[in-house]
Amino acid sequence: MNAKEPRGPNEKLGALLALAGISNAGLARRVNDLGAQRGLTLRYDKTSVARWVTKGMVPQGAAPHLIAAAIGAKLGRPVPLHEIGLADSDPAPEVGLAFPRDIAAAVRSATELYRMDHAGRRAGGGGIWQSLAGSFAVSAYATPASRWLITPADSSVARSGEDGGTTVRVGHSDVAKLKDAAQEARRWDSKYGGGDWRASMVPECLRVDAAPLLLGSYSDEVGRSLFGATSELTRLAGWMAFDTGQQEAAQRYYIQALRLARAAADVPLGGYVLASMSLQATYRGYADEGVDLAQAALERNRGLATARTMSFFHMIEARAHARAGEDKAAGAALAAAEGWLERSRDGDPDPSWLDFYAYDRLAADAAECYRDLKAPRQVRRFTEQALSKPTEAFVRSHGLRLVVSAVAELESGNLDAACEAGTRAVEVAGRISSARTTEYVRDLLHRMEAYGNEPQVVELRERARPLLVAPA
């Protein structure tokens, strides 16, 4: 917790603290709490903050980024280090948040993010993402979503490689390798969770394989395919970060994935990225913004996407409405999702990234909607349908469905059935690497606290203990 030498009063930090309405003691508490979320033991107090403001002392390590995150959370927007007078600390949290209009700038923005992630991983532990703890801000999605809605495709993406890039000539075979990598990563992620080492190789693939291709030479046709494949991989990297609890990394990957989808002129893929953003926003407690993002995906894809794709987007919309407590809107979105799914046919040109979506997935998400709406009878009905076809290909989804089933049984007063489903969920969670699944289990145990002395609850808690104390 040592600080660098004083530089004179930090007027920028003082002014922004006043704007945010945060006291010195309040900032210290927020920074300590954000550090604890990333396993850091920090003991800053109001005197520490006073030194930062009046003497210009700069705390070392992750502290500058935690300060920016704490103020940003209060203001409801990202706060870059230069705005609080701490821009000489690395790494810059702005990386990955830009959505450039210019295609060359878009390539630089994406490849810079890939390099930053690599530097963080080499640093060990949480690396850069640990430094950016808590820096997720849903407002960062506003500009990307609006620019994509206004212009969902670039006019041309052909590149000669003369503007600082390499001389490698990119062909369809290069793009095919990226698509194969994405398909393999999706398979491992579904089966073993975003933290599985085989799935987590996606960021390395982006840095080592995709980035040099983006900086190479290609025709407009090949470039569109290249940007599409790279967008898929980048969205996957974001999804895996989301699944393992690295929300700040997920947000940056999603923004770059959306920009690359625009370069690919792939509107359904852009909608898929927006749907991923919507789920994250909803999961983080920003359900209204989640509705907006899902509806943006729907609006641009009318008349373009397949029936199955439109069904998926409506299902994501329903999740956000349900989390916001809007039962009628959630019901309408679910009905629309079911209607579109009934229209789909085996011969439809559905995108490969949607191969997981069928009625059992719709039923699973419907169950979660009704869980949020506190309708346990509906939860049980849809969960039974979701669990009717267990498959080893989607282990994580099966585990999540078991937890939702346990919650429904608990709210219906069936403690034994809830503990039975919970036990099965814990067994599944122990076989995968997914912080999201662990959080579902944690929430279930929290709901069971009122039955804390019941033998079956005690047994379930003991079974879950290794899962809950293990690093996410």
Side-chain angles (χ1 to χ4, degrees):
M1 285 188 288
N2 296 327
K4 297 178 182 178
E5 289 299 317
R7 307 177 301 174
N10 188 340
E11 296 178 355
K12 290 184 177 181
L13 177 58
L16 210 59
L17 283 177
L19 177 65
I22 303 177
S23 66
N24 288 359
L27 178 64
R29 183 176 63 255
R30 285 174 167 84
V31 170
N32 292 341
D33 289 345
L34 287 174
Q37 292 175 18
R38 280 298 191 275
L40 303 175
T41 301
L42 304 177
R43 296 186 177 88
Y44 293 117
D45 55 25
K46 62 181 181 180
T47 303
S48 306
V49 179
R51 290 179 182 140
W52 302 340
V53 175
T54 62
K55 297 184 179 180
M57 298 184 74
V58 180
Q60 293 182 341
H65 305 284
L66 300 178
I67 294 169
I71 298 174
K74 187 68 182 296
L75 294 176
R77 63 173 176 82
V79 172
L81 291 186
H82 67 77
E83 191 174 353
I84 55 175
L86 299 174
D88 58 343
S89 299
D90 292 322
E94 299 90 341
V95 174
L97 293 175
F99 192 92
R101 291 187 176 90
D102 177 68
I103 187 63
V107 168
R108 289 195 298 272
S109 181
T111 54
E112 185 179 28
L113 174 63
Y114 305 155
R115 288 194 299 269
M116 186 181 90
D117 191 8
H118 175 66
R121 291 166 191 273
R122 291 189 55 155
I128 283 172
W129 303 126
Q130 180 172 314
S131 301
L132 298 177
S135 61
F136 171 85
V138 73
S139 58
Y141 284 150
T143 295
S146 62
R147 288 187 180 175
W148 182 82
L149 278 168
I150 294 169
T151 310
D154 290 282
S155 59
S156 176
V157 297
R159 192 174 193 276
S160 65
E162 296 174 356
D163 54 338
T166 67
T167 57
V168 62
R169 184 70 182 176
V170 183
H172 287 295
S173 61
D174 300 302
V175 177
K177 292 178 182 178
L178 295 182
K179 291 183 177 180
D180 288 344
Q183 183 175 358
E184 182 72 2
R186 279 197 302 270
R187 186 168 68 88
W188 285 111
D189 169 67
S190 296
K191 192 170 184 178
Y192 298 111
D196 178 72
W197 70 268
R198 287 151 294 204
S200 64
M201 291 300 290
V202 172
E204 187 73 0
C205 178
L206 287 169
R207 184 185 70 87
V208 175
D209 300 320
L213 296 178
L214 291 177
L215 295 168
S217 300
Y218 35 83
S219 65
D220 184 69
E221 179 191 2
V222 172
R224 300 286 187 191
S225 296
L226 172 62
F227 282 113
T230 308
S231 175
E232 284 191 51
L233 279 167
T234 305
R235 193 214 67 87
L236 266 170
W239 176 256
M240 293 169 188
F242 168 68
D243 189 51
T244 53
Q246 299 179 83
Q247 305 298 332
E248 54 284 341
Q251 180 167 46
R252 287 159 171 76
Y253 276 119
Y254 285 158
I255 291 172
Q256 298 312 303
L258 185 63
R259 183 59 187 89
L260 294 169
R262 186 173 109 163
D266 191 333
V267 178
L269 177 57
Y272 188 36
V273 178
L274 285 169
S276 300
M277 291 177 169
S278 174
L279 274 177
Q280 184 188 32
T282 300
Y283 183 81
R284 296 286 291 176
Y286 300 97
D288 286 343
E289 289 82 354
V291 171
D292 292 339
L293 290 163
Q295 291 180 345
L298 282 163
E299 188 60 34
R300 259 298 176 186
N301 275 280
R302 296 188 191 283
L304 293 175
T306 64
R308 188 179 302 273
T309 306
M310 292 297 287
S311 171
F312 178 75
F313 293 159
H314 275 293
M315 183 265 289
I316 298 299
E317 179 192 16
R319 290 289 301 271
H321 280 306
R323 186 61 66 94
E326 300 166 347
D327 55 347
K328 291 184 178 179
L334 283 173
E338 187 170 14
W340 278 105
L341 193 56
E342 288 175 350
R343 295 185 215 176
S344 67
R345 298 292 181 266
D346 290 340
D348 290 348
D350 294 319
S352 60
W353 41 258
L354 201 63
D355 59 4
F356 65 90
Y357 185 63
Y359 190 80
D360 63 317
R361 171 61 193 267
L362 174 58
D365 280 78
E368 294 211 39
C369 287
Y370 287 113
R371 176 204 60 190
D372 293 338
L373 294 171
K374 303 186 185 307
R377 183 176 300 177
Q378 290 284 65
V379 176
R380 293 179 69 186
R381 178 168 72 89
F382 280 104
T383 300
E384 288 174 1
Q385 297 173 21
L387 291 172
S388 63
K389 295 181 179 180
T391 171
E392 282 298 307
F394 301 101
V395 176
R396 178 182 54 213
S397 293
H398 189 63
L400 294 174
R401 295 170 191 183
L402 285 168
V403 177
V404 174
S405 174
V407 171
E409 295 293 353
L410 183 66
E411 293 185 348
S412 298
N414 303 320
L415 183 60
D416 288 341
C419 289
E420 180 183 353
T423 298
R424 292 162 61 198
V426 168
E427 189 276 327
V428 172
R431 292 191 281 124
I432 61 178
S433 180
S434 169
R436 191 158 47 102
T437 306
T438 300
E439 283 305 310
Y440 272 53
V441 172
R442 196 186 306 276
D443 175 68
L444 172 63
L445 293 176
H446 176 71
R447 293 169 185 263
M448 288 184 170
E449 286 180 355
Y451 306 91
N453 294 325
E454 296 293 333
Q456 60 269 54
V457 175
V458 173
E459 182 180 356
L460 175 60
R461 188 183 301 115
E462 285 302 312
R463 286 178 178 272
R465 189 182 301 277
L467 174 69
L468 300 180
V469 300

